Amino acid sequence: MAYAEKVYKVRNGRQTKQYTWRARYKEPDGTWGSEPGFPTKKLAKDWGDQQEAAIREGRWVDPELSRTKFGSFVTEWMEAQKPRGRTTMNRWERLETHILPKWRDTPLIALNWFDVEAWARVLALTVARSTVRDCVQLMSRIVNGAVDKRYLTVNPLAGRRLTGLPADIAVKKADEDQVAEPETVLQLARRLGPVYGLHVVTVAWTGVRWEELAGLHRRNALLERKQKHDGGTFTCPIIRVDKDEGALAEYTVRTDEGKRRAYRGLEPPKNAKSARDVDVPPFLAELLEKHLADWPHDFVFTTKTGKWWWRSYWFEVLRPAADGRDERKPGRGRPACPEWKPLASGLTTRDLRHTHDSWQEQIGVAPVLGYEQMGHKYPGIKGTYRHPTPSMRKQRLRGLQRLYERAMRNLGWESIWESAPPNIS
């Protein structure tokens, strides 16, 4: 049975006549808990009765736990998560750069939507809206963890929507800057040469993610799809994104000593739908077959020495080919390089993936097949009832082949690469 007791104030080491009331209540383990600071006996006793009622109903939260600092609980929550390594790195980046400087010392019980939304509006003045939303969503997930761990009874951030954000400071690319013409992709591939240029062509004509292509082992390249169709068998070459080791991961990990080190290795792809077989059009299958016949390394798309790409290194290779470069005279151990005019300034591998999905729409690919090939989940109940058929696959492959053939005719080329590949160093 809860009760209240007087707590006399002490000044200069001596008890005064002033006092407040402290609530006393039985905790689940039978010990007596307490909460000081009530102005009246009734308020203290009522509060204690409420705690005992919550304990009997199984919804009690220890007031001490609810006062845990947000930063302290973040460490506990992050240690309990097991996402992909890059996801962990991205979360820590959001936490350390934006969230913890503001909220590290805030008790969990003091978090409220009014303050979080006001902070988000200020943050949006310096970073992109997508970053602001990521930060607030991450905070909400962490506070959900606090509710699940019985540190809080409710999450004050759950289900709330950010409003009144200022104009986004991030500059969004125009549509034409995110979708390349087939002729442009082939010109870019010619500049890069048959080793690196094939990487660009494969992304544009398959939509495979950068990390999936960088982690593609030759045992998963040019496998064969077989399906019953029209009284016979439909077959086509495929690239397989392996469900266990289908993506090259590159991120920063934290050691037990609190230090950071770079990690690069194979991991499962982004999600369950990302593990898939991607149909390859005939011209690309022929190019890949020739490439693999001469390629001495286990992984299909690597540096010329067979090492996995660093994203930053691939960026250095792609940028001058897409953005252009000045003529370079020969120097110490460095050959001359001709001038390159810009082909597609700012183009990224992600833009090539946008390009592929836009091409799918252009050639009329059935949505359920388009989603599958991109590694996306088809939305709604139709994602359960609709499935790609061989006829859909044949139509898609014919459309992609025609894009290539028309671009080659427009360029007046018989092959993408000339006999002597250009120097890209």
Side-chain angles (χ1 to χ4, degrees), residues 231-369:
T233 304
F234 163 73
T235 63
C236 76
I238 60 170
I239 288 173
R240 175 163 294 162
V241 180
D242 186 84
K243 65 182 178 62
D244 297 317
E245 295 182 330
L248 177 64
E250 175 190 329
Y251 50 85
T252 302
V253 296
R254 292 164 171 258
T255 64
D256 293 338
E257 296 78 24
K259 298 181 180 180
R260 301 183 184 183
R261 62 178 178 83
Y263 170 83
R264 203 167 32 150
L266 296 176
E267 288 188 349
K270 189 173 183 179
N271 49 48
K273 289 294 181 182
S274 295
R276 64 198 187 281
D277 292 340
V278 182
D279 301 336
V280 178
F283 86 91
L284 182 55
E286 183 179 344
L287 293 175
L288 286 169
E289 187 175 8
K290 290 179 180 178
H291 171 67
L292 290 172
D294 298 330
W295 192 241
H297 309 298
D298 290 336
F299 291 87
V300 181
F301 296 103
T302 64
T303 66
K304 291 180 181 178
T305 59
K307 295 181 179 179
W308 280 326
W309 286 106
W310 288 103
R311 285 178 184 263
S312 57
Y313 183 26
W314 174 249
F315 184 85
E316 292 176 3
V317 169
L318 181 61
R319 286 277 50 83
D323 301 345
R325 71 178 180 197
D326 296 330
E327 180 183 4
R328 190 173 71 189
K329 303 296 183 183
R332 296 177 181 176
R334 186 182 67 186
C337 293
E339 179 187 7
W340 280 345
K341 298 294 185 183
L343 276 175
S345 297
L347 185 77
T348 65
T349 305
R350 183 176 179 84
D351 291 334
L352 291 173
R353 186 164 150 81
H354 283 226
T355 293
H356 179 77
D357 209 19
S358 300
W359 287 355
Q360 289 196 126
E361 188 76 12
Q362 175 182 321
I363 62 178
V365 175
V368 67
L369 176 59

Side-chain angles (χ1 to χ4, degrees), residues 93-109:
E93 181 182 0
R94 295 281 189 261
L95 286 164
E96 294 179 338
T97 305
H98 303 299
I99 300 174
L100 290 179
K102 169 66 176 179
W103 303 105
R104 177 181 282 108
D105 296 325
T106 303
L108 290 171
I109 193 64

Side-chain angles (χ1 to χ4, degrees), residues 185 188-190 192-206 213 283-292 300-301 314 416-417:
V185 175
L188 183 58
R190 173 170 283 197
L192 289 170
V195 174
Y196 299 160
L198 183 57
H199 189 140
V200 169
V201 173
T202 303
V203 176
W205 263 273
T206 64
L213 208 57
F283 86 91
L284 182 55
E286 183 179 344
L287 293 175
L288 286 169
E289 187 175 8
K290 290 179 180 178
H291 171 67
L292 290 172
V300 181
F301 296 103
W314 174 249
I416 300 176
W417 295 287

Side-chain angles (χ1 to χ4, degrees), residues 359-421:
W359 287 355
Q360 289 196 126
E361 188 76 12
Q362 175 182 321
I363 62 178
V365 175
V368 67
L369 176 59
Y371 274 76
E372 178 212 73
Q373 294 291 283
M374 292 295 290
H376 293 155
K377 176 178 172 59
Y378 193 76
I381 192 64
K382 297 302 182 183
T384 300
Y385 282 90
R386 291 180 179 173
H387 308 278
T389 66
S391 293
M392 295 178 189
R393 297 187 187 280
K394 290 172 68 174
Q395 185 267 338
R396 173 180 175 274
L397 293 174
R398 281 196 301 267
L400 293 173
Q401 182 73 16
R402 288 170 183 161
L403 285 176
Y404 165 75
E405 292 173 352
R406 185 168 65 246
M408 292 293 285
R409 286 196 303 270
N410 292 341
L411 292 168
W413 293 357
E414 292 186 1
S415 62
I416 300 176
W417 295 287
E418 301 163 314
S419 56

